[in-house]
Amino acid sequence: MNDRNKDPGVDGQPTAVNPGYAVFQIAKALTTAARLSSPRSERHEDPATRERAKEKIAKWETVLRNILTGAVKYGSRTPIEGAPNWATLEVITGGFATGGLLAGGPLQEHEQKLLADIPGVPDGTERRALNACFLTDAGLAELQERLQTGCYDVAVPEEGALMVVAWLVTNGYVEEARELLDKLAPYFSQLRFYPIPLEQPRQFGSHVHLQDVGNTLDRLRRIRPNSRILAQKEAVDIWLPLYDRMVALFLETVGNGWPCQSYPDGWSVRALALLGEYAELRKEHTLSGKMERVGEHPAQLRELLGKCARKPDSLTGREVGRIRLILNCYVAKRGAPDSPTCTEARRRQAADVSAPIFHAIARVAAARLERHPQDDGLDDVSHLQAAVTAAEAASSGVPAGTSIPPSIQRKVERCLNETVEVLVERGIIKSGEVIARVLPQMTSGLRAAGITDPALRQLYAAIYRAFRHRRSLLLLNLEKQVQIEELPWVAAIERFRSDSLSSRELAQQTLEEVVVLTLTSFPQAILPNKLLQELRALATGADLDIPLVDELATDIFMGKFSGKFVESTLRAAGLLHGTLYAAYYGIDYAEIRSGLNAQVVPAYAGTKCSWFWPATQSRSDAFAQLCASRAGVPLGTWHPATNGMIIEQQQILTTQNLAALFATLDLTDALRGQLDEMIKQCFRWICKRQQMKVDGWHARLIMLKNTAYAWRQMVFFLALLPNSGVADFLRWAGDHLDAQPEAFRDRFRPALKGLALAADGSSLDSAAAREADAHRFLGWSKTKHWLLADV
């Protein structure tokens, strides 16, 4: 893994962001761009795709320049000089700010339309003029009207600021409005604080969509013609009939089994005419090289036809023999041209390529979508997936009755408005990360539920949704990401939001439903950081204290954990002490809980406790030392593999949020009937993923890490079953493993042996475990992993 964010300085402490990560990303983007421009790559003919690749390169070049010049303070909550912490930054992979502000930059289309109604605006002052325009009587009246009708959108949180001002003024909070404007005015020339106008209000509730109609339409329009299929169609429709006619011409000259023995009257004229026809067709039809490929029969016969038509006597005996061979091969394969055998063969080939071209069908689906509002989802997409109608056939050329291919149907379904449960069931949502993307559409209403004024409630929800689209910044020294309450316009209306009992109950119910849905649908995956943001918001709304911990990046880990990691470990201790989970990972939760509560921590040799360190450090520091000691590595090395081993021990001790959620929400009973299948799903996923062909050493390490994480999830769920359930699973897992290919079966069996040994109450750190070749499955190692020994 890349040490992306640190330059070791004095005593190994990071002093600056390492430019190597940005250089690596530029190189990767350039490689992609080179592939995009390759003539052999059919899907990269799309200019928009190539343009996106160029934009990505430009952004990473900007980041590299910022690192080298120090123009951006990476690792800080306010990395851009002159920009407040609440400004929405343009952030790319790894949390790097490019220096751009998403509410700034060039004027957008709706801004240009607004500006056309303001005469005499000097260059460079357009955005200031637009912000000021909305503070006039007419501007405020327009904002107030949009507040009431809901005909607006907020793409970035700043676009809701002047709407808050308008609401405050309308409701008599003039002083509060003035104080808010004092905070916004210094940035009027840079940022847009006004909303995007809409013709119709957007609707949000329990139904969500993965993307709106406009984005779905854009994806359909990106479907380009498949050059290989077009070339095949051209070959069958154009060049094969021409080749058949060439063969027929030469067959007219056969005598005594040899071609070119006698030429009927007008033969040369017809041959030259056919060659002229070929030349004209070639000007228009260039996709197929069938008639041009050197060494293949069609190209050879075409060259020999030209020579024979112009100077029949110039053919050598070798060339006549070549013509004879080509004709014999042709006739042997399909008979003479116009024979029943040849006619039937050509009919089948024509039928094979007669189906409508994929991108033409996509255009039919796109035309259907164009009739709907672009900025929302659709409650019903069945009409978009129906067969092509007669009217559509007349305008598109796609035959009536043609079915919409499943892949296009799946693209269309991405704008379907449905519950999260239904979208998961239909395979539209395929991971916890995707759940996190759509969840703000639902949770925004819950966060705003405590606001009594309908207009303000809708505005708060719109700002919340926009805020949740912010990308996290790269932060160091345990700094926190900007919270929504830090936005001045949100802080100005926060006092009008109260958490009623009904809203708390609704938030808790939603939290439980989302957690259960995610764990049952994707039990093998840890809850992604983006989803944890939404779960924290729901927990806050439900007035629940759940110490949810993020997955930490190994390459920016600074050897410290915040207090919530300690709290999460204590929750795990209360749930898992004395269970299979504790036995498998060698955890004495009672001793750890006692030590952490007393602010002392047991020292470990491997996983065996030997003595206590004195309480000369905070619980968080002691916890970090505990994780390092369990991993058998020192803190503060800034080495990604070492950090990975420490972080993995943190995940083991905390269960990476599982124990905290199960204990607080009492999920054991709620999932009792589903745990068996969740455990088996984890094991099947691990077996499948471990056998996938993965190119590159780094990719194999990532695969190993993810399967070890899935194994840990499985062990946690297994620990909640009675002993009989554990025994049943071990028998099933043994049978499932026996059914796998021998190479994988032999390589992975030590992991299952280790689990069975722990279930019998034996330690995996014992001599008996070593003799039995039983392993504890971990994902990180400083040496070559035992699962990769033969790779």
Side-chain angles (χ1 to χ4, degrees):
M1 296 183 68
N2 295 291
D3 193 10
R4 71 182 177 205
N5 296 321
K6 304 179 300 295
D7 252 349
V10 180
D11 298 327
Q13 295 298 318
T15 59
V17 173
N18 193 325
Y21 185 74
V23 172
F24 169 74
Q25 292 292 339
I26 292 172
K28 190 166 69 171
L30 285 170
T31 301
T32 302
R35 190 171 70 249
L36 290 175
S37 59
S38 170
R40 298 184 63 183
S41 180
E42 62 197 45
R43 67 176 191 153
H44 302 321
E45 296 174 1
D46 182 13
T49 303
R50 293 196 296 270
E51 189 60 33
R52 285 192 299 274
K54 292 178 182 177
E55 289 175 0
K56 185 175 182 179
I57 294 170
K59 288 178 181 178
W60 276 112
E61 288 175 340
T62 300
V63 167
L64 179 59
R65 187 162 51 250
N66 291 338
I67 294 173
L68 297 176
T69 62
V72 175
K73 296 184 293 183
Y74 292 111
S76 167
R77 295 178 94 229
T78 53
I80 300 175
E81 185 176 357
N85 67 333
W86 47 259
T88 307
L89 309 181
E90 181 183 53
V91 179
I92 57 178
T93 304
F96 287 91
T98 65
L101 302 174
L102 292 185
L107 294 178
Q108 298 191 352
E109 183 179 355
H110 69 279
E111 293 181 281
Q112 293 172 348
K113 291 179 179 178
L114 291 170
L115 194 62
D117 296 329
I118 309 175
V121 176
D123 291 343
T125 65
E126 292 90 350
R127 191 154 275 141
R128 176 181 291 277
L130 287 169
N131 278 310
C133 178
F134 281 106
L135 295 178
T136 64
D137 290 343
L140 284 172
E142 180 181 342
L143 293 178
Q144 290 160 356
E145 181 182 357
R146 293 195 179 278
L147 272 170
Q148 298 304 317
T149 62
C151 292
Y152 64 90
D153 194 17
V154 176
V156 291
E158 288 88 332
E159 293 172 347
L162 290 185
M163 297 286 278
V164 171
V165 171
W167 186 89
L168 290 171
V169 171
T170 301
N171 289 273
Y173 301 101
V174 178
E175 186 58 33
E176 288 83 350
R178 185 178 295 109
E179 291 175 1
L180 175 56
L181 284 173
D182 288 342
K183 297 175 182 177
L184 302 179
Y187 308 101
F188 269 13
S189 60
Q190 293 177 268
L191 307 175
R192 58 182 180 276
F193 293 109
Y194 36 86
I196 302 170
L198 297 180
E199 295 298 324
Q200 298 292 330
R202 299 187 66 180
Q203 301 297 325
F204 292 95
S206 60
H207 286 200
V208 300
H209 51 269
L210 190 55
Q211 61 191 32
D212 59 30
V213 169
N215 282 319
T216 305
L217 185 57
D218 182 54
R219 286 175 178 265
L220 287 176
R221 287 169 175 164
R222 288 185 202 169
I223 296 176
R224 313 301 296 175
N226 187 311
S227 59
R228 292 180 182 176
I229 292 178
L230 291 178
Q232 183 183 26
K233 185 175 178 64
E234 180 183 286
V236 171
D237 292 344
I238 306 297
W239 302 124
L240 288 183
L242 194 77
Y243 181 48
D244 292 343
R245 291 163 64 190
M246 287 183 182
V247 171
L249 275 173
F250 271 113
L251 287 176
E252 292 180 21
T253 69
V254 173
N256 297 321
W258 287 88
C260 305
Q261 300 304 301
S262 62
Y263 298 95
D265 291 341
W267 187 92
S268 295
V269 174
R270 286 186 288 128
L272 290 172
L274 184 59
L275 290 170
E277 185 178 341
Y278 163 79
E280 289 300 315
L281 287 171
R282 193 61 184 163
K283 293 177 183 178
E284 182 179 354
H285 304 284
T286 59
L287 295 174
S288 173
K290 190 170 186 66
M291 299 296 292
E292 303 281 346
R293 295 190 192 105
V294 177
E296 294 192 8
H297 287 179
Q300 291 178 355
L301 198 65
R302 177 176 58 80
E303 292 293 332
L304 292 169
L305 180 64
K307 189 173 184 179
C308 189
R310 295 181 181 91
K311 293 182 179 180
D313 296 336
S314 65
L315 289 176
T316 66
R318 185 182 183 89
E319 289 172 331
V320 172
R322 168 56 60 179
I323 295 172
R324 183 172 184 260
L325 174 64
I326 293 173
L327 296 180
N328 287 342
C329 289
Y330 180 101
V331 173
K333 185 175 182 179
R334 62 184 64 85
D338 296 330
S339 69
T341 305
C342 184
T343 300
E344 175 59 21
R346 295 307 190 211
R347 186 197 65 77
R348 288 196 304 269
Q349 289 174 315
D352 289 341
V353 300
S354 64
I357 299 174
F358 195 77
H359 82 283
I361 303 175
R363 288 178 181 173
V364 173
R368 295 171 176 178
L369 270 176
E370 287 171 351
R371 307 185 191 110
H372 297 278
Q374 304 294 289
D375 49 15
D376 210 340
L378 296 177
D379 294 333
D380 180 21
V381 296
S382 59
H383 65 290
L384 302 174
Q385 300 171 316
V388 176
T389 65
E392 290 170 331
S395 60
S396 67
V398 178
T402 299
S403 299
I404 303 297
S407 60
I408 294 181
Q409 291 193 35
R410 288 193 296 271
K411 288 182 185 296
V412 166
E413 281 188 324
R414 292 170 70 87
C415 68
L416 173 65
N417 272 330
E418 256 299 352
T419 62
V420 176
E421 292 85 350
V422 170
L423 295 183
V424 169
E425 182 182 333
R426 294 179 68 156
I428 300 169
I429 291 178
K430 299 182 179 181
S431 68
E433 286 86 351
V434 180
I435 290 179
R437 280 175 51 191
V438 302
L439 207 53
Q441 298 174 41
M442 183 169 61
T443 56
S444 60
L446 296 178
R447 284 298 301 268
I451 298 175
T452 56
D453 184 277
L456 185 61
R457 184 166 60 243
Q458 183 174 357
L459 174 59
Y460 184 97
I463 296 171
Y464 180 88
R465 287 191 297 272
F467 182 81
R468 284 304 180 201
H469 290 148
R470 286 172 61 124
R471 299 190 66 172
S472 297
L473 275 173
L474 162 64
L475 296 177
L476 301 177
N477 301 313
L478 301 181
E479 287 202 65
K480 289 180 61 177
Q481 300 290 337
V482 172
Q483 305 299 302
I484 189 171
E485 294 81 8
E486 297 180 62
L487 276 55
W489 52 99
V490 172
I493 58 175
E494 189 67 24
R495 65 178 174 134
F496 302 108
R497 189 172 69 88
S498 62
D499 293 325
S500 63
L501 178 60
S502 59
S503 66
R504 289 197 297 271
E505 291 173 345
L506 184 58
Q508 179 168 344
Q509 178 184 341
T510 304
L511 174 63
E512 292 173 358
E513 290 175 353
V514 170
V515 171
V516 167
L517 175 66
T518 305
L519 292 180
T520 54
S521 301
F522 318 108
Q524 74 282 354
I526 63 174
L527 299 174
N529 290 353
K530 201 68 178 176
L531 180 59
L532 291 176
Q533 291 182 14
E534 300 306 319
L535 299 186
R536 288 190 189 99
L538 287 169
T540 300
D543 198 21
L544 294 174
D545 178 22
I546 308 178
L548 298 175
V549 297
D550 288 330
E551 181 185 10
L552 302 178
T554 61
D555 48 359
I556 61 172
F557 178 62
M558 302 179 71
K560 295 181 180 295
F561 295 101
S562 66
K564 63 184 177 182
F565 287 88
V566 176
E567 295 302 323
S568 185
T569 299
L570 294 175
R571 299 285 179 95
L575 182 68
L576 295 172
H577 174 63
T579 64
L580 171 61
Y581 185 92
Y584 180 80
Y585 288 109
I587 307 171
D588 187 338
Y589 271 122
E591 195 166 50
I592 291 175
R593 179 165 52 187
S594 175
L596 289 176
N597 282 331
Q599 290 192 317
V600 292
V601 62
Y604 279 76
T607 58
K608 185 177 180 181
C609 179
S610 57
W611 48 275
F612 281 91
W613 279 306
T616 57
Q617 53 191 342
S618 69
R619 290 204 310 176
S620 297
D621 289 340
F623 180 72
Q625 289 286 356
L626 169 62
C627 294
S629 183
R630 283 179 56 85
V633 297
L635 281 170
T637 64
W638 315 114
H639 186 269
T642 300
N643 287 345
M645 295 171 69
I646 296 170
I647 290 171
E648 184 169 27
Q649 289 300 322
Q650 164 264 303
Q651 294 182 346
I652 289 170
L653 292 172
T654 63
T655 71
Q656 198 62 20
N657 300 310
L658 291 178
L661 288 167
F662 269 71
T664 307
L665 302 178
D666 194 21
L667 296 181
T668 304
D669 289 337
L671 289 171
R672 183 75 64 189
Q674 302 178 69
L675 283 173
D676 284 336
E677 181 54 33
M678 291 165 64
I679 295 165
K680 291 178 180 178
Q681 187 174 333
C682 287
F683 192 78
R684 284 191 291 262
W685 186 90
I686 292 166
C687 291
K688 181 178 180 181
R689 186 57 60 97
Q690 276 282 335
Q691 296 179 73
M692 288 178 64
K693 180 177 175 56
V694 179
D695 295 326
W697 183 251
H698 182 260
R700 285 196 286 272
L701 293 179
I702 296 296
M703 176 272 294
L704 185 66
K705 180 197 74 169
N706 288 336
T707 50
Y709 289 3
W711 183 267
R712 186 179 68 240
Q713 300 264 122
M714 182 191 77
V715 175
F716 174 87
F717 299 137
L718 197 59
L720 302 178
L721 293 182
N723 291 338
S724 59
V726 174
D728 290 344
F729 166 75
L730 288 173
R731 282 192 293 271
W732 174 88
D735 293 341
H736 186 80
L737 186 60
D738 287 342
Q740 305 305 308
E742 181 180 0
F744 169 75
R745 185 173 65 236
D746 294 343
R747 184 162 50 91
F748 197 73
R749 193 172 297 281
L752 194 58
K753 284 183 180 179
L755 184 59
L757 202 66
D760 287 339
S762 301
S763 169
L764 269 68
D765 300 302
S766 65
R770 289 190 292 273
E771 291 174 4
D773 193 28
H775 287 266
R776 179 182 288 118
F777 186 10
L778 301 177
W780 285 92
S781 174
K782 291 180 67 176
T783 58
K784 191 168 185 178
H785 199 283
W786 56 272
L787 270 173
L788 298 178
D790 299 326
V791 178

